């Protein structure tokens, strides 16, 4: 199965409200769509979240990396082979988002050729439990949002975005708990906002407030400080920002990590599966982390949803977007989503929407 042609498109989807991340404020998401077409006609797709503060890429730089550096290396090789593709692009340094697009597009291409969706091919669940990320806002607004999404979608778990200061974070947790009741579990992601010397006390404080998993309470490294932090913590420390490869995963697991975040939209489906396998070999678990995907990117990332995760999958950010590029709705009921039984993603893409929201690099 060899590469016959390819295309790269960009589109911007507006949000229903302003979203405040740890390192940016935005009112819409910018995405790249890579399509690979094999000589037999099978098509593969990958969506990339294009944010300078996340991926370090722009539409122009991403297009150049793919056209000049990566895609020429796919000519004449068998795209059906995972290792073959990985070995072909490995010599190119950096280019993480571009490599992720190639990896994910090759996987969806293989699924299309086999006429079997990836979740089924990998023996994963069709019905996936989800969580919602309550992004940074004043605590009353966070509590209001939490109550609304739980009432509407039935999420059994909420991920609270912290990092606004201990007092503000605790007020947000108290308000959310009062709004959703005791049955909804809470995790918290501080995006590394706190000092290492304050992390242990911070984690104990949010654990006392009912948080069950603490993600990136401070900048994390696989060192003695992390080992001590996890040992002293009453809850698992979820490693996200510093775990972007199997090598990172191995180093953190050697230091006692109990939970690692995997993001197919950030590192690719192949690396995500490898990180999860490494964690499982140590008796530990992963969480499927959000990468602010649209409904299309959500569908691709959820093809790999671990059956036994430390927290529900975070692929719900697409609900913040006013528009989508799928021709079918990804519905959530009782906190779960059912994946469509479609191997060819082209049948699910709304090509008119792609054109409507297109931007030029």
């Amino acid at each position: 199965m060899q590469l016959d042609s390819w295309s790269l498109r960009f589109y911007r989807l507006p949000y229903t409200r302003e979203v405040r991340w740890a390192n940016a404020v935005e009112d819409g998401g910018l995405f790249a769509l890579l399509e690979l077409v094999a000589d037999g006609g099978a098509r593969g797709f990958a969506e990339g979240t294009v944010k300078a503060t996340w991926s370090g890429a722009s539409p122009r730089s991403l297009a150049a990396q793919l056209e000049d550096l990566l895609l020429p290396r796919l000519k004449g090789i068998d795209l059906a082979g995972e290792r073959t593709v990985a070995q072909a692009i490995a010599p190119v340094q950096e280019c993480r988002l571009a490599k992720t697009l190639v990896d994910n597009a090759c996987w969806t291409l293989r699924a299309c050729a086999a006429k079997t969706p990836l979740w089924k091919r990998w023996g994963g669940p069709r019905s996936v439990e989800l969580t919602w990320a309550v992004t940074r806002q004043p605590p009353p607004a966070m509590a209001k949002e939490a109550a609304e999404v739980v009432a509407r979608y039935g999420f059994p778990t909420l991920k609270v975005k912290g990092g606004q200061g201990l007092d503000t974070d605790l007020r947000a947790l108290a308000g959310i708990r009062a709004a959703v009741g005791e049955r909804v579990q809470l995790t918290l992601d501080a995006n590394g906002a706190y000092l290492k010397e304050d992390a242990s006390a911070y984690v104990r404080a949010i654990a006392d407030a009912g948080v069950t998993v603490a993600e990136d309470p401070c900048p994390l490294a696989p060192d003695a400080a992390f080992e001590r932090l996890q040992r002293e913590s009453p809850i698992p420390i979820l490693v996200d920002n510093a775990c972007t490869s199997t090598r990172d995963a191995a180093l953190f697991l050697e230091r006692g990590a109990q939970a690692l975040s995997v993001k197919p939209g950030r590192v690719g489906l192949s690396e995500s599966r490898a990180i999860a396998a490494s964690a499982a070999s140590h008796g530990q678990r992963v969480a499927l982390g959000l990468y602010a995907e649209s409904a299309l990117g959500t569908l691709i990332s959820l093809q790999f949803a671990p059956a036994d995760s430390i927290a529900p999958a975070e692929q719900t950010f697409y609900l913040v977007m006013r528009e989508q590029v799928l021709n079918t709705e990804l519905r959530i009921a009782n906190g779960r989503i059912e994946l469509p039984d479609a191997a060819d993603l082209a049948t699910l893409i709304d090509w008119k929407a792609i054109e409507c929201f297109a931007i030029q690099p």
Side-chain angles (χ1 to χ4, degrees):
M1 188 165 63
Q2 296 191 351
L3 182 63
D4 179 73
S5 63
W6 65 275
S7 66
L8 181 65
R9 301 172 176 88
F10 295 92
Y11 45 91
R12 186 181 187 277
L13 302 179
Y15 297 163
T16 57
R17 61 170 175 82
E18 182 180 86
V19 174
R20 184 174 297 275
W21 303 106
N23 50 20
V25 179
E26 59 187 15
D27 60 5
L30 179 59
F31 303 95
L33 178 65
L34 176 65
E35 177 184 8
L36 302 182
V37 182
D39 49 4
R43 297 169 291 184
F45 298 89
E47 181 184 82
T49 303
V50 185
K51 298 183 191 297
T53 53
W54 288 22
S55 59
S58 70
R60 287 197 300 168
S61 68
L62 192 59
Q65 290 169 9
L66 287 165
E67 185 170 3
D68 298 344
L69 304 178
L70 296 180
L71 293 176
R73 290 177 168 271
L74 300 187
K75 292 181 179 179
I77 72 169
D78 184 7
L79 300 182
E82 176 187 353
R83 292 185 179 180
T84 304
V85 172
Q87 290 171 355
I89 65 176
V92 178
Q93 299 300 301
E94 306 299 334
C95 302
R96 187 171 71 188
L97 181 57
K99 288 182 176 180
T100 291
L101 286 171
V102 170
D103 180 59
N104 291 351
C106 283
W107 273 116
T108 57
L109 176 67
R110 294 168 196 139
C112 181
K115 296 181 172 55
T116 305
L118 282 174
W119 63 264
K120 184 178 292 186
R121 179 175 176 178
W122 289 334
R126 182 173 188 176
S127 176
V128 182
E129 185 177 338
L130 300 171
T131 186
W132 173 265
V134 184
T135 53
R136 291 180 176 185
Q137 301 170 76
M142 295 176 74
K144 181 175 181 292
E145 178 182 313
E148 289 173 350
V149 296
V150 169
R152 182 172 182 180
Y153 300 107
F155 294 118
T157 303
L158 293 174
K159 173 177 175 172
V160 179
K161 284 289 190 175
Q164 300 189 89
L166 176 59
D167 180 65
T168 302
D169 286 355
L170 291 178
R171 285 192 292 114
L173 288 171
I176 291 170
R177 174 60 70 204
V180 301
E182 296 295 329
R183 296 181 62 182
V184 176
Q185 292 192 47
L186 302 179
T187 68
L188 189 144
D189 178 10
N191 290 113
Y194 300 103
L195 299 175
K196 287 188 175 183
E197 53 266 34
D198 298 330
S200 184
Y202 177 78
V203 172
R204 287 196 301 271
I206 62 174
D208 289 341
V211 168
T212 57
V213 177
E215 181 176 347
D216 285 359
C218 65
L220 300 176
D223 53 17
F226 171 78
E227 192 171 1
R228 182 170 58 254
L229 174 63
Q230 180 60 92
R231 187 173 59 248
E232 295 175 350
S233 173
I235 56 178
I237 305 297
L238 177 59
V239 184
D240 174 23
N241 189 58
C243 186
T244 59
S245 68
T246 50
R247 181 179 182 275
D248 294 336
L251 293 173
F252 274 104
L253 290 166
E254 289 173 2
R255 289 290 189 171
Q258 297 178 17
L260 304 174
S261 180
V262 293
K263 296 184 175 181
R266 177 173 67 179
V267 302
L269 289 162
S270 294
E271 197 74 359
S272 295
R273 296 178 73 215
I275 291 172
S278 180
S281 70
H282 286 74
Q284 308 300 348
R285 294 182 288 172
V286 298
L288 194 62
L290 71 83
Y291 210 57
E293 303 99 327
S294 78
L296 173 57
T298 292
L299 178 58
I300 295 171
S301 290
L302 286 177
Q303 298 299 305
F304 173 61
D308 182 26
S309 58
I310 193 72
E314 299 172 8
Q315 272 64 32
T316 52
F317 187 75
Y318 72 94
L319 296 172
V320 173
M321 299 169 198
R322 291 207 305 266
E323 306 288 347
Q324 298 296 339
V325 294
L326 285 185
N327 59 27
T328 185
E329 182 181 358
L330 296 184
R331 296 183 179 179
I332 299 173
N334 299 318
R336 306 187 73 90
I337 192 169
E338 186 166 306
L339 302 179
D341 193 11
D344 184 359
L345 295 182
T347 63
L348 302 178
I349 295 176
D350 185 339
W351 294 104
K352 290 185 178 180
I354 294 284
E355 293 178 5
C356 179
F357 299 106
I359 67 164
Q360 296 301 317

